[in-house]
Amino acid sequence: MIVHPQILEAFDLKEADYDALRYGSGHINSTIHLKSKKRGKDYILQRINTHVFKRPDIIDRNQRLAAAYLKKQAPDYFFLSPVPTVAGPCLFEWQGEYWRLLPFVKHTVAVNQADNPRQAFEAAQQFGRLARLLSGIDLREFQPSIPNFHNLTLRYSSFQDAIRSASEERREAAEDLTEAFLNYSGIAVRFEELKTDKDFRDRLMHHDTKINNVLLDDKTYEGICVIDLDTLMPGKLISDLGDMVRTYVSPVSEEEQDFDKIVIRDDYYEALMQGYLSELKGDLTPTEKEVLFYAGQFIIYMQGIRFLTDYLNGDVYYPVKYPEHNYNRAKNQLTLLQRLNEREAALRRIIGGCL
Ligand code: ADP
Ligand code: GN1
Ligand code: MG
């Protein structure tokens, strides 16, 4: 693909020295692998999606604050920071779009699905380590890169708005699914209650802990570093832990349309809990310990209503390949939530064993 030479020059790179290849499978940003033609260093070049991230400067500031803190707190920790432009800042604005450059981490893979419990353990340990090392950082200096990103109360009310304003066709098509999600509104009520609990502390969270946001060693699957730090901002433990439950435990992803394939793999659930808690166990408040099972319900439910809201709104947020895509993603998430609830007793025993 073609990248304007001026964008590369801003980072002191020459267009002629690189092949630019589209990379990865994220929903939000555009990611390009700059492959050196001369056995030099490779890079990842990303265009930030400014429909989603209206203030890229906040992303940059949050990452710098975290990097500076970690440098002091844990000098040996590998935190992947962007490469600065020649002018100094890490973001380059070009014709209204924002670009950043990252060192390409060689001999690693980002897997879209965990296919052995070791991967789940390693990825979860990486997110747990990040949270532990950042546990003492002053959160007052941070701003949200997406306001209310994981505010389930607000997501729930956007869902209700979408039900009201949807086209008749989509509202009717989604009637049963909408009702099924409304029947689980207790998950949103629980979130409301937790918000008033002082022990439900704020932490600097990653907020997008899908397994493809961790780089693993391509041979041993050892965790190397976390990536995709756009939503590194103050939040709650249930965000990071919950998204791992959502994305590591079932053998199939949110894209799967054969819902019979959605199952809870207890060994993966245990591996991710062990990986996460191996880092954070000693740092948890009593309330955080109580919400370890709820974390999965919280995120799966929120992701389900986010997909369904987007379906009702006419697919304005998530890229879709066919008209029912967001509907199917929402139905997939509902199935996952049902499967998780069926295994509640066994999964709570697993959590007990990890604490
Ligand atoms: P998105 O927000 O679109 O998910 P990511 O930052 O997660 O964007 O990048 C998309 C994909 O690009 C990742 O899943 C991973 O495969 C790859 N990737 C991103 N950064 C790097 C890096 N520094 N080194 C190697 N691969 C990377
Ligand atoms: C988006 O960029 P990506 O694909 O890692 C989304 C997450 C969702 C995820 C669902 C900023 O993440 O919140 O969980 O899709 N990111 C944003 O696949 O909305
Ligand atoms: Mg990503």
Side-chain angles (χ1 to χ4, degrees):
M1 75 169 285
I2 297 179
V3 181
H4 200 283
Q6 232 167 305
I7 297 166
L8 295 188
E9 277 160 28
F11 295 98
D12 205 20
L13 302 179
K14 288 194 191 68
E15 193 207 6
D17 293 345
Y18 298 92
D19 285 321
L21 313 162
R22 276 200 178 279
Y23 203 68
S25 53
H27 285 317
I28 303 296
N29 295 317
S30 304
T31 301
I32 295 160
H33 178 188
L34 295 178
K35 212 165 182 284
S36 171
K37 292 181 186 167
K38 298 181 174 169
R39 296 184 174 213
K41 275 196 210 160
D42 286 10
Y43 292 93
I44 286 284
L45 179 69
Q46 282 184 320
R47 189 183 68 203
I48 297 176
N49 179 333
T50 44
H51 293 289
V52 172
F53 296 103
K54 302 208 165 26
R55 293 277 309 271
D57 59 307
I58 292 181
I59 299 177
D60 195 39
R61 186 180 140 78
N62 287 351
Q63 287 186 24
R64 277 167 190 263
L65 286 167
Y69 179 84
L70 288 167
K71 206 170 164 190
K72 275 205 218 127
Q73 187 74 10
D76 294 334
Y77 177 72
F78 179 28
F79 185 73
L80 193 68
S81 288
V83 179
T85 55
V86 179
C90 291
L91 285 176
F92 178 63
E93 190 191 344
W94 171 251
Q95 297 182 337
E97 304 197 292
Y98 288 81
W99 295 81
R100 73 164 159 237
L101 190 73
L102 294 159
F104 184 90
V105 186
K106 284 202 164 167
H107 311 299
T108 62
V109 279
V111 296
N112 286 325
Q113 219 43 57
D115 20 74
N116 60 59
R118 173 90 203 278
Q119 292 174 345
F121 178 92
E122 289 288 328
Q125 189 176 49
Q126 284 296 315
F127 287 116
R129 187 166 302 158
L130 182 71
R132 175 175 61 77
L133 294 174
L134 292 170
S135 178
I137 200 166
D138 185 354
L139 297 176
R140 289 170 304 184
E141 295 195 66
F142 289 81
Q143 283 175 268
S145 53
I146 303 179
N148 291 308
F149 187 46
H150 280 189
N151 182 346
L152 180 55
T153 314
L154 207 94
R155 296 285 183 188
Y156 189 76
S157 88
S158 307
F159 173 44
Q160 288 177 310
D161 292 346
I163 300 168
R164 278 191 289 272
S165 60
S167 69
E168 210 176 307
E169 191 200 337
R170 287 210 168 192
R171 190 190 305 115
E172 275 175 19
E175 211 174 330
D176 291 352
L177 190 55
T178 301
E179 190 166 334
F181 274 107
L182 290 173
N183 284 338
Y184 278 111
S185 62
I187 296 174
V189 174
R190 176 94 200 271
F191 180 70
E192 277 291 282
E193 290 163 4
L194 281 167
K195 281 198 295 194
T196 61
D197 182 336
K198 282 201 187 64
D199 242 11
F200 191 45
R201 63 161 289 196
D202 286 328
R203 295 176 173 274
L204 203 63
M205 288 278 103
H206 181 283
H207 288 104
D208 193 2
T209 55
K210 285 197 290 197
I211 202 151
N212 64 13
N213 285 330
V214 177
L215 298 180
L216 304 173
D217 183 291
D218 61 6
K219 292 197 183 64
T220 64
Y221 294 134
E222 186 195 342
I224 303 298
C225 64
V226 305
I227 56 168
D228 204 350
L229 293 151
D230 296 336
T231 47
L232 185 72
M233 58 183 168
K236 304 289 185 186
L237 183 100
I238 52 174
S239 283
D240 280 14
L241 180 62
D243 215 26
M244 291 193 270
V245 173
R246 186 180 81 81
T247 59
Y248 303 3
V249 170
S250 167
V252 291
S253 77
E254 67 201 21
E255 296 299 322
E256 181 61 53
Q257 294 172 47
D258 180 354
F259 304 130
D260 289 342
K261 291 191 179 150
I262 301 171
V263 290
I264 300 296
R265 299 178 295 184
D266 289 10
D267 48 344
Y268 285 68
Y269 190 91
E270 182 165 12
L272 88 81
M273 279 294 166
Q274 271 174 350
Y276 200 60
L277 297 177
S278 68
E279 292 286 338
L280 268 181
K281 180 160 66 173
D283 195 58
L284 299 181
T285 68
T287 303
E288 285 179 321
K289 283 187 186 162
E290 268 170 38
V291 295
L292 297 175
F293 177 74
Y294 172 71
Q297 296 176 309
F298 164 76
I299 283 283
I300 296 167
Y301 184 67
M302 186 164 65
Q303 191 61 57
I305 63 173
R306 286 178 69 190
F307 285 140
L308 188 51
T309 301
D310 201 32
Y311 175 75
L312 294 167
N313 286 341
D315 308 319
V316 291
Y317 191 85
Y318 292 106
V320 288
K321 296 205 173 93
Y322 59 97
E324 295 79 33
H325 201 157
N326 273 317
Y327 174 92
N328 282 335
R329 286 167 170 156
K331 195 156 183 184
N332 169 308
Q333 297 293 285
L334 179 74
T335 311
L336 182 61
L337 181 59
Q338 288 164 339
R339 297 290 93 86
L340 186 83
N341 286 341
E342 285 159 15
R343 300 274 324 140
E344 176 165 353
L347 299 178
R348 282 190 183 278
R349 276 196 296 277
I350 288 175
I351 291 172
C354 295
L355 281 173

